[in-house]
Amino acid sequence: MCGRMAVTLPHDAMAQMFQAAPGNDLPEVPNYNVCPTNRVHVVASDGARRLSAMRWGFLPNWYKAENDGPLLINARAETIAQKPAFRDAARARRCLIPASGFYEWTKDAEGNRLPWYIARADGAPLAMAGIWQVWGNDDPMATCAVVTTAANPAMAEIHHRMPVIVAPEDWALWLGEAGHGAAVLMTAAPDDALIWHRVDRSVNSNRAAGPELIDPLDVE
């Protein structure tokens, strides 16, 4: 599962990292509380890589309105090739969704939602596997979803799902630049790839903002 993320890398650094041409309408950074339906940074390729903005919330072509069905922010790796909403995009419209980290939640004995911030152990940005498509005829909009898989044993202590993290050496394969076989990449990252810490419950609000959202929370 990935339901909230943070993006702090500057646009020029992001473009350089992925060797992608940046668009002119990229979302503002840093953003420590990127929420579903927000515009997110996406790297896609049609032979040349482009860094652009897309709505986080994949819209199948049969939706008549943005709220015409479930909000599809994630696509399960196990069923992505069979689901009518995702299968064409999984075959032909894959992308990378950069993030500095993402949030996940556990619950305490009273049912309170306790947020965790999760990032790469080596401090590098995440490149999450994604799919995309353009929705609408009158006012076309590019939309995307994060591909998720079953959590590795370490991550399973926080949540049973996690984003598919694509290693730099596999970016070309996931983007369709290096032939076929991207399905083999839709697995969980190694146990030691990610680290996490508790953060303040203020991030539970989609209106919260600021770098303090990812600060470690002192818990006993």
Side-chain angles (χ1 to χ4, degrees):
M1 177 83 179
C2 177
R4 206 83 68 81
M5 67 180 82
V7 180
T8 64
L9 199 65
H11 294 154
D12 56 349
M14 208 180 304
Q16 183 176 8
M17 173 179 167
F18 291 99
Q19 298 183 338
N24 296 321
D25 63 341
L26 297 174
E28 183 178 348
V29 289
N31 186 342
Y32 295 89
N33 194 7
V34 182
C35 302
T37 73
N38 288 170
R39 294 162 67 247
V40 294
H41 299 79
V42 171
V43 177
S45 176
D46 58 1
R49 293 182 188 177
R50 292 178 173 80
L51 176 65
S52 61
M54 295 188 186
R55 175 193 190 264
W56 184 19
F58 190 95
L59 294 174
N61 54 23
W62 59 81
Y63 277 25
K64 303 300 183 186
E66 294 179 38
N67 60 354
D68 203 23
L71 180 58
L72 305 176
I73 61 170
N74 296 150
R76 295 174 66 95
E78 299 87 342
T79 57
I80 196 172
Q82 290 80 43
K83 290 285 187 180
F86 301 134
R87 61 190 178 199
D88 289 343
R91 186 183 310 112
R93 293 185 300 278
R94 297 186 298 273
C95 62
L96 297 168
I97 301 175
S100 305
F102 63 97
Y103 299 94
E104 198 49 80
W105 282 261
T106 55
K107 289 185 178 180
D108 63 15
E110 287 75 41
N112 299 307
R113 299 178 73 235
L114 308 177
W116 299 75
Y117 181 68
I118 302 155
R120 280 183 55 142
D122 61 7
L126 299 166
M128 299 184 291
I131 54 173
W132 69 276
Q133 80 170 10
V134 174
W135 173 84
N137 296 316
D138 297 333
D139 187 16
M141 173 172 38
T143 71
C144 66
V146 174
V147 180
T148 66
T149 189
N152 60 39
M155 182 69 198
E157 298 179 8
I158 304 296
H159 198 273
H160 67 286
R161 305 290 297 176
M162 65 184 296
V164 171
I165 309 300
V166 184
E169 62 268 24
D170 294 323
W171 291 348
L173 181 58
W174 181 254
L175 292 174
E177 300 168 340
H180 302 290
V184 302
L185 304 178
M186 292 191 289
T187 58
D191 276 13
D192 60 354
L194 302 175
I195 56 173
W196 48 85
H197 58 259
R198 275 281 312 281
V199 294
D200 190 83
R201 289 168 60 184
S202 58
V203 77
N204 291 358
S205 169
N206 60 13
R207 294 184 296 274
E212 65 276 8
L213 294 180
I214 67 172
D215 288 345
L217 180 70
D218 290 330
V219 292
E220 296 183 359

